[in-house]
Amino acid sequence: MATDILASPATLSHTQAKVFKNFIDGEWVESSTGETFENRNPADTRDLVGIFQKSAKADVDAAVEAAKSAFAKWRLVPAPRRAELVFRAAEILIERKEEHAREMTREMGKVLKETRGDVQEAIDAAYYNAGEGRRMFGPTVPSELPNKFAMAVRQPVGICGMITPWNFPMAISSWKLLPAIVCGNTCVIKPAQDTPASTFNLVRAFTDAGVPKGVVNIVTGFGPDVGTPLAEHPDVRAISLTGSSAVGRIIGGIAAKSFKHCSLELGGKNPMIVLDDANLDLAIEGGLWGGFGTTGQRCTATSRIIVQKGIYREFVERYVARAKKLKVGNGLDETVDMGPAINEKQLQTDLSYVEIGRNEGAKLVCGGDRLDKGEYQHGWFMEPTVFIDVDQKMRIAQEEIFGPVVSIIACDGLEDAIEIANNIEYGLSSAIYTKDVNKAFAAMRDLYAGITYINAPTIGAEVHLPFGGTKATGNGHREGGIGALDFYTEWKSIYVDYSDTLQKAQIDRVD
Ligand code: NAD
Ligand code: MN
């Protein structure tokens, strides 16, 4: 029976694992392929978090059809009423925060304090976007002609497709779904195959809050099987991807052919500059959190630390001493600092970059090895890894690794540091540690990135500010804040001529 499987999960008697079906038009439905895939805990692969549908184009078509019929009604629900449901969803998420955080740690490995933050981000985004239900301001302006009224209103785009990564499984889904539904759109989301459970938890809060059937649909599966047909579907008018630049290139190409709105939030290789006058304790603390938080698997991870020569040796010595003491393990243990890599493939990538760095002549001073003995034997763990004396042109200083591998680069001073920082294909986040206000302001102006932190590491974002980056990090859109409204709405300019005569703009004027 297609009842609420999430509230009362169906179980497979032989594994006791939850089976998740696709969520289409308020019903739980099996994929057209009849195939499933497993979601396992990367800290202990014996732990099966759930079994999910391995879907295909036919499932995407069904979900888009559901979104299409829901859109006819949802777009006409007054925005403040749509927003009330989102406020209610926020309250539900607060009640379930701890439960969802624990399940997220199981499905993707980051430590509990971070998964609590991930759920909190969805709560914050819910409050922020629900507030927009009574705003969505548009300009009302004077007309150039007499007896004529002029204004612009935001209208929903229509059916929106969303494709998400695994590193912020609830936060990133919420950044897309919440503004979309408050603006009156309906959605089909394809969560990352490593972390679908957290998207189900988010959407369950929406349905429990009363969001009508068909407004949000979930189709699980792999990128080419589900993400591509979703992006290609002619009825999908907006497609939003957060993921790698390689996949962004594919989705951007597909979207261009049918003139869809397309928002791409992609990779990063984020620099943190530490100048001679910096508070060194603070910079070391920040560099550890930025480099090894989420096992280095953040788009905003501090993967390059650019240190001025006067303090270089001291910084390196103290940073490495601290990195060696970080406790690696299962994120459910509150004393653990760093969890595993998301999966075997990512771990292999991380380890391969250790080899690449060695061969390029960088000096490995911390970590570099896989951890697979004792408590680590069932997970995808590696040591926090630091390379020093890295040249900015090396691959480890240029390519996104997405693991716990930090490259430290020496620089002569502010100008040199900014040049090194900007000399990269990405432009997501950036940071500078200095006590000199002049240098801080110069960096705020000259770092070519979507985010600049002063005296804090590159990671972390607040939901009401624009989030996104330059160059290969995206295509100019921003999530968070007002940028999301611009993406999920179309402007419509409305003119009301109450003159009872034919008036011609630009033509009927007395010069
Ligand atoms: P990924 O690009 O491998 O996958 C992202 C999503 O795209 C997944 O849902 C995947 O199934 C789907 N996908 C893969 N191939 C596809 C295809 N051919 N067609 C359609 N969909 C496809 O990325 P990931 O490994 O999940 O996440 C890590 C990447 O995401 C990193 O590059 C990271 O920097 C980036 N990221 C960016 C941000 C940001 O906001 N800028 C935030 C988090 C992560
Ligand atoms: Mn998983």
Side-chain angles (χ1 to χ4, degrees):
M1 208 177 67
T3 48
D4 189 351
I5 280 176
L6 289 178
S8 163
T11 55
L12 272 189
S13 54
H14 62 284
T15 60
Q16 290 300 304
K18 281 193 222 176
V19 179
F20 293 79
K21 299 186 181 178
N22 286 327
F23 186 59
I24 298 176
D25 208 17
E27 307 275 338
W28 303 98
V29 288
E30 274 170 19
S31 73
S32 58
T33 65
E35 291 172 51
T36 56
F37 66 95
E38 293 178 341
N39 174 9
R40 287 187 179 271
N41 181 343
D44 182 348
T45 56
R46 295 169 301 179
D47 177 20
L48 182 58
V49 179
I51 292 170
F52 290 82
Q53 305 299 307
K54 189 171 179 302
S55 310
K57 181 176 180 299
D59 307 298
V60 171
D61 291 347
V64 171
E65 208 45 48
K68 204 170 161 182
S69 65
F71 180 64
K73 287 190 190 149
W74 184 243
R75 74 185 185 92
L76 299 177
V77 174
R81 300 302 300 277
R82 295 193 296 249
E84 278 169 30
L85 304 179
V86 170
F87 275 121
R88 210 172 294 153
E91 304 290 332
I92 292 170
L93 287 172
I94 289 169
E95 278 167 33
R96 300 176 184 165
K97 181 173 169 181
E98 187 62 21
E99 176 199 330
H100 291 344
R102 286 183 177 274
E103 188 162 46
M104 195 188 299
T105 293
R106 276 179 65 210
E107 84 166 337
M108 60 78 67
K110 68 186 174 186
V111 300
L112 262 181
K113 66 172 183 245
E114 292 188 40
T115 52
R116 288 181 189 125
D118 197 304
V119 180
Q120 185 60 45
E121 206 168 310
I123 295 165
D124 296 345
Y127 282 132
Y128 175 78
N129 285 289
E132 274 309 325
R134 287 187 185 270
R135 284 192 294 266
M136 286 203 221
F137 298 137
T140 303
V141 295
S143 165
E144 67 189 46
L145 291 164
N147 299 320
K148 190 178 170 191
F149 181 88
M151 64 183 168
V153 297
R154 291 184 182 276
Q155 296 208 316
V157 179
I159 298 155
C160 301
M162 289 117 174
I163 305 172
T164 58
W166 48 265
N167 64 340
F168 280 84
M170 189 177 282
I172 290 178
S173 301
S174 81
W175 281 30
K176 300 185 190 306
L177 292 171
L178 289 162
I181 65 178
V182 168
C183 290
N185 303 284
T186 57
C187 312
V188 177
I189 185 166
K190 188 210 89 66
Q193 55 269 22
D194 283 306
T195 57
S198 294
T199 300
F200 278 82
N201 286 337
L202 177 69
V203 173
R204 179 153 62 97
F206 299 166
T207 46
D208 290 353
V211 172
K213 70 185 177 114
V215 171
V216 178
N217 305 277
I218 310 176
V219 181
T220 56
F222 292 80
D225 305 340
V226 180
T228 301
L230 183 58
E232 284 172 343
H233 200 296
D235 290 334
V236 170
R237 292 311 317 153
I239 186 88
S240 174
L241 164 81
T242 300
S244 58
S245 298
V247 174
R249 208 164 269 128
I250 297 172
I251 299 298
I254 293 172
K257 290 192 189 103
S258 51
F259 308 110
K260 289 184 198 337
H261 289 211
C262 176
S263 167
L264 305 172
E265 297 294 340
L266 311 171
K269 186 75 181 177
N270 311 287
M272 175 178 130
I273 298 169
V274 187
L275 296 183
D276 281 349
D277 72 341
N279 175 338
L280 217 50
D281 295 331
L282 192 67
I284 287 164
E285 208 62 42
L288 288 164
W289 172 229
F292 302 113
T294 323
T295 319
Q297 302 171 124
R298 289 198 189 204
C299 49
T300 53
T302 305
S303 46
R304 297 182 290 152
I305 306 185
I306 303 163
V307 186
Q308 195 170 358
K309 285 179 178 150
I311 48 153
Y312 183 81
R313 285 296 142 199
E314 186 186 355
F315 180 90
V316 162
E317 200 174 296
R318 290 175 55 192
Y319 184 82
V320 169
R322 288 288 310 279
K324 282 183 174 158
K325 290 207 182 92
L326 292 174
K327 184 171 172 190
V328 180
N330 187 325
L332 291 172
D333 173 348
E334 304 255 13
T335 66
V336 161
D337 298 304
M338 192 180 100
I342 181 69
N343 53 35
E344 183 175 16
K345 185 163 169 265
Q346 183 61 54
L347 178 66
Q348 293 310 334
T349 300
D350 300 344
L351 295 169
S352 79
Y353 273 101
V354 175
E355 268 320 293
I356 290 167
R358 275 200 179 112
N359 294 336
E360 286 178 310
K363 204 162 148 198
L364 179 67
V365 290
C366 178
D369 287 321
R370 179 173 179 183
L371 297 164
D372 55 6
K373 307 269 172 337
E375 61 173 306
Y376 300 121
Q377 62 179 313
H378 298 291
W380 310 119
F381 294 98
M382 78 177 272
E383 297 168 320
T385 298
V386 183
F387 279 104
I388 63 166
D389 302 348
V390 174
D391 183 277
Q392 57 163 321
K393 293 198 190 69
M394 292 177 180
R395 286 183 60 193
I396 54 167
Q398 288 287 330
E399 296 172 16
E400 183 183 51
I401 301 173
F402 225 56
V405 183
V406 170
S407 291
I408 303 186
I409 305 168
C411 73
D412 294 324
L414 179 67
E415 257 179 57
D416 187 32
I418 287 178
E419 206 176 300
I420 296 169
N422 288 341
N423 181 20
I424 194 89
E425 70 169 316
Y426 300 105
L428 183 49
S429 191
S430 55
I432 184 166
Y433 281 76
T434 178
K435 286 184 195 148
D436 183 332
V437 69
N438 296 354
K439 288 179 176 152
F441 269 83
M444 282 153 60
R445 183 193 56 205
D446 294 339
L447 286 166
Y448 190 61
I451 300 168
T452 294
Y453 272 97
I454 309 299
N455 293 325
T458 54
I459 66 175
E462 300 184 28
V463 303
H464 50 306
L465 274 82
F467 184 88
T470 63
K471 298 187 274 183
T473 295
N475 62 344
H477 287 282
R478 292 290 183 271
E479 297 199 292
I482 206 91
L485 292 188
D486 287 336
F487 183 72
Y488 291 108
T489 56
E490 295 273 15
W491 281 115
K492 175 179 279 192
S493 297
I494 299 176
Y495 302 98
V496 183
D497 190 323
Y498 56 99
S499 69
D500 242 358
T501 55
L502 175 62
Q503 302 196 88
K504 306 184 200 83
Q506 292 91 36
I507 293 168
D508 290 342
R509 51 178 292 148
V510 182
D511 286 317

